[in-house]
Amino acid sequence: MSGHSKWATIKHKKGALDAKRGKTFTRLIKEITIAAKGGGGDPDGNPRLRTAVLAAKAENMPADNIKRAIQRGTGELEGVNYEEITFEGYGPGGVAVVVETLTDNRNRTVSEIRHTFSKNGGNLGSTGSVLHMFSKKGLIAIEKFAADEDTLMNIVLEYGGEDLNDEGDSWEILTDPASYEAVSEAVKAAGIATVASQVTMIASTYTKLEGSQANAMVRLLEALEDFDDTQNVYSNFDMDEVEVAD
C-alpha cells in the first residue's frame, strides 16, 4: 500500500491546523457525542466511542468534558442533535477529496461545502464518486529520531499492524482499525513519542500537483478544514515538501 500523502505528513509536522485554531476540543466533543448516541455510552462496548475518548485523552481533555459529551449523546443531558454528512468531490487537478461533517443544520453545511469547493477550484461529486479510493486505517506517525526501524517493526508484527512505511524523516505505521488501539498502546508503552496517532482514511493512489495547482489545493483543504461543521478532510493529494514551505 502507498504511504500517507506528503501533505498529510507536512500537516502533522506543522501541527494540526484545527489545533492552531482552537477547534480540537469542539470536534472531539462532537465525535464523542455522536458515537455515544449511536452505540451507547460504554466505551468498552462501543469501539467508535472508545477511539474518540482515547483521542480526547491524548489531547488532555478534562474527564468532566468527556463525561458530559457522553451524557449528551446518551440523552442523560440535553444537547444539540447532530447529523453526519459525508461529502465527496474533486480539487484542482482532479484530486479526490472526502469531507466528513457533523451538523445541526444540513442546508447550511451543504451550501457552505459546495461554495468552498467552487471558490477554490474544485467541485462537489456524487455519493460514491471518490470514497471507493480510500480505506479506513489506523495511522501512527513517528519522527525518525524517536525510534529505530527494528523496534517499530517488532511492534507492528507483534500487535497486528499492517505496514511500516519510511516517509523520509518519519516512520508511519498503518493498521487495520481493529488493531489500531493495541498497536498505539504498544508504541506508547515503549516510550516512543508520536507526531500523530489516529484512525483515518488512506488513499489507494495519490495525485501529485505542482506550482499553482498545488497551492490552490492547499487553500481548498485549509478552507474545508476551517469550516466549523467539518470533522475530517481526506484527499489523495501529494506534492513536494518545498511547495508548502512556511
Side-chain angles (χ1 to χ4, degrees):
M1 175 176 292
S2 172
H4 209 36
S5 79
K6 186 71 73 174
W7 163 244
T9 305
I10 292 167
K11 216 175 72 172
H12 293 324
K13 290 178 196 161
K14 293 170 99 177
L17 293 169
D18 57 349
K20 287 183 186 177
R21 299 178 175 124
K23 292 180 179 173
T24 303
F25 274 21
T26 301
R27 292 179 180 185
L28 287 168
I29 285 170
K30 286 167 77 172
E31 173 62 16
I32 291 168
T33 301
I34 199 83
K37 180 182 178 182
D42 179 10
D44 290 335
N46 182 342
R48 180 176 178 179
L49 179 59
R50 185 166 64 249
T51 299
V53 169
L54 284 171
K57 288 180 177 177
E59 294 292 340
N60 299 311
M61 183 182 288
D64 282 350
N65 294 36
I66 296 172
K67 182 179 178 182
R68 284 196 297 272
I70 292 172
Q71 288 175 327
R72 280 194 290 272
T74 58
E76 294 173 67
L77 292 177
E78 190 174 337
V80 178
N81 190 26
Y82 293 115
E83 176 185 4
E84 294 181 270
I85 311 174
T86 299
F87 297 90
E88 301 173 54
Y90 300 92
V95 169
V97 182
V98 177
V99 187
E100 294 177 343
T101 65
L102 283 176
T103 179
D104 59 354
N105 185 325
R106 171 182 273 270
N107 291 339
R108 176 193 68 219
T109 301
V110 171
S111 173
E112 186 66 28
I113 293 292
R114 180 180 289 115
H115 174 71
T116 301
F117 267 98
S118 62
K119 182 182 175 184
N120 293 281
N123 60 281
L124 268 183
S126 58
T127 300
S129 57
V130 302
L131 200 55
H132 64 278
M133 298 169 64
F134 296 83
S135 302
K136 186 161 280 194
K137 298 289 179 183
L139 168 72
I140 302 164
I142 298 149
E143 289 188 302
K144 279 280 177 70
F145 65 79
D148 62 77
E149 185 175 10
D150 288 345
T151 300
L152 294 177
M153 184 56 78
N154 286 337
I155 290 174
V156 168
L157 295 173
E158 185 174 349
Y159 292 92
E162 287 187 355
D163 210 352
L164 176 65
N165 294 320
D166 185 338
E167 294 294 330
D169 55 3
S170 65
W171 300 108
E172 290 189 352
I173 296 173
L174 291 179
T175 78
D176 182 88
S179 306
Y180 164 73
E181 193 177 332
V183 177
S184 176
E185 288 299 314
V187 170
K188 186 190 295 184
I192 300 169
T194 61
V195 184
S197 185
Q198 62 195 12
V199 175
T200 185
M201 298 286 273
I202 302 291
S204 54
T205 60
Y206 289 92
T207 299
K208 188 169 184 176
L209 302 181
E210 297 177 345
S212 59
Q213 277 196 324
N215 291 329
M217 189 65 212
V218 169
R219 286 194 297 272
L220 171 60
L221 292 174
E222 289 183 333
L224 290 169
E225 288 173 328
D226 199 32
F227 180 43
D228 286 344
D229 295 341
T230 297
Q231 288 292 101
N232 298 295
V233 179
Y234 309 111
S235 78
N236 70 340
F237 169 44
D238 206 356
M239 87 208 116
D240 289 326
E241 194 158 340
V242 292
E243 295 282 353
V244 289
D246 286 324

